[in-house]
Amino acid sequence: MLEALNIFIQSAFIENMVLAYFLGMCSFLAVSKTVKTAFGLGLAVIFVLAMTTPINWAIKNFFLNEGALAWINPAWADVDLNFLGLIIYIAVIASFVQLVEMIVERFFPALYTSLGIFLPLITVNCSILGGTLFMITKEYNFWQSIPYGLGSGFGFFLAIVALAAIREKLRYSAVPAPLRGLGIAFIITGLMGIAFMSFMGIKIS
Amino acid sequence: MSTATADQIEEVKVPKKEREPLFSKKNRELITDPLDDSNPITVQVLGICSALAVTTQVKPAFVMSICVIFVCAFANLIISLLRNGIPSRIRMIVQLVVIATLVTLVAEFLKAYQYSLSKELSVYIGLIITNCIVMGRLEAFAMANKPWPSLLDGIGNGIGYGAILIFVAVFREFLGSGSLFGFQIIPDWMYGIGYANNGIMLTPAAAMFLIGVFIWWQRARNQKLVDIS
């Protein structure tokens, strides 16, 4: 339990997808103009990351790894399908995003219209595929992959809501004209990244 | 009746139109535009995701740029060839499959010939799939244009992306580790008299500052890009 909490904290704060690895930047910068839409997108990302990370773990370990297919037929013990990994992970992610899109459209039509194109674009949000790929390089087991997915999603949620709040206030400050909009958003993100570095070294064990 | 004849004349004219030369002005602009006016990173805000993590040194940034140019060009070409046969409902999945196949090729190639580099770039090669540049250009250009302009557009955007990547990487490696392409530039005696590397340049945050400043410079020079909101 403590280990799960540790992974959650680590993935949400210390190794924050957005502010430490700078993944998922496109939607992070594009949807962070108001807190409300940022909030909705953040929740959608939490859901997709929390679901796809454990599912992709199961797919990798039961189908793709060398020898993983032995449980179906012992004759396939030397089949290694790892090269198919990227295509299959992205297919899983795409189908979950489709699911989220349908749920949001059905139950939260206002949010659906305000997110617009960025809801389907969660598919190509790098932090989602990044969650799966980092989970593989870190060699987590199934129970570790669940808090990892949840934590990464929560980290994205936190970061995008924080940036949206800052940008809402920023409208009242005198930023040099060429720096307005995108430029200042980049610099703020950099500063937030430095602030998040102060979480480094926190460990619950 | 007169309108009908006018229409007929219009129709006859179209096939007579001269074939565009391979490197006409319009086609050249497809390559040069993404370098400045419609740069994928600083203007279209595409593909920042995987870009920033690989720019602590020039060499991985260089390799990454080449991979992206390759994937972007060929994905554009393939999708453009297929564009009339793709049902619009499932076009995202078709595009992703094409991109994922190309990225898998690149990843396996690097693993076979440049193993240490492929370890260094780790997940970021795989993340080219979700690099918004590739997908964005497929949606915005390749789905509506002929193969040859699409190929050029892919190459142009890949180069525009690579240019920013290398710009950022040069600053970060020079100021952060005192070297370029892994060769030491700042001589030892400089360190002897108290020069120190700027550690913050090695953090990803520095890349954000550099791109922010680059956008500032670019928009100050090119007023039509200024964001009014």
Side-chain angles (χ1 to χ4, degrees), chain B residues 72-131:
Chain B
C72 207
F74 282 93
N76 257 4
L77 178 68
I78 293 170
I79 289 294
S80 174
L81 286 171
L82 295 174
R83 71 185 186 283
N84 294 326
I86 301 176
S88 72
R89 268 172 186 276
I90 59 157
R91 68 177 194 287
M92 287 274 227
I93 295 173
V94 175
Q95 289 166 359
L96 280 173
V97 168
V98 170
I99 300 170
T101 313
L102 286 167
V103 171
T104 308
L105 275 179
V106 170
E108 297 287 317
F109 180 84
L110 274 184
K111 236 184 243 169
Y113 294 101
Q114 292 285 336
Y115 189 70
S116 59
L117 256 177
S118 118
K119 270 270 168 270
E120 201 173 333
L121 291 167
S122 74
V123 300
Y124 292 100
I125 290 289
L127 286 177
I128 298 178
I129 297 181
T130 51
N131 191 324

Side-chain angles (χ1 to χ4, degrees), chain A residues 55-181:
Chain A
I55 288 178
N56 280 339
W57 184 92
I59 287 178
K60 178 166 169 61
N61 284 277
F62 290 124
F63 294 101
L64 300 179
N65 271 355
E66 188 171 2
L69 284 173
W71 64 274
I72 298 175
N73 184 345
W76 295 345
D78 53 352
V79 178
D80 181 359
L81 292 177
N82 264 325
F83 67 94
L84 284 178
L86 291 174
I87 297 178
I88 292 181
Y89 303 147
I90 203 81
V92 169
I93 291 169
S95 45
F96 263 90
V97 172
Q98 193 73 54
L99 190 69
V100 170
E101 195 183 356
M102 287 191 290
I103 294 172
V104 173
E105 190 179 9
R106 174 75 180 76
F107 295 105
F108 311 99
L111 182 64
Y112 181 78
T113 41
S114 66
L115 281 178
I117 178 75
F118 286 100
L119 198 53
L121 276 186
I122 297 178
T123 320
V124 284
N125 185 325
C126 331
S127 61
I128 312 270
L129 187 61
T132 294
L133 295 178
F134 276 124
M135 175 266 295
I136 290 166
T137 43
K138 288 176 192 218
E139 293 175 347
Y140 282 147
N141 65 30
F142 183 71
W143 299 111
Q144 288 167 323
S145 75
I146 296 175
Y148 183 72
L150 260 177
S152 307
F154 184 69
F156 183 89
F157 171 81
L158 213 64
I160 194 169
V161 171
L163 180 69
I166 295 176
R167 282 180 79 174
E168 274 192 0
K169 295 280 175 230
L170 211 63
R171 226 166 277 155
Y172 307 108
S173 30
V175 179
L179 199 58
R180 230 170 261 170

Side-chain angles (χ1 to χ4, degrees), chain A residues 174-189:
Chain A
V175 179
L179 199 58
R180 230 170 261 170
L182 192 57
I184 196 75
F186 267 100
I187 290 176
I188 289 171
T189 313

Side-chain angles (χ1 to χ4, degrees), chain B residues 44 72 76 132-142 153 157:
Chain B
Q44 303 177 49
C72 207
N76 257 4
C132 337
I133 289 183
V134 186
M135 192 88 177
R137 290 326 290 174
L138 291 184
E139 276 285 292
F141 198 91
D153 181 78
N157 277 284

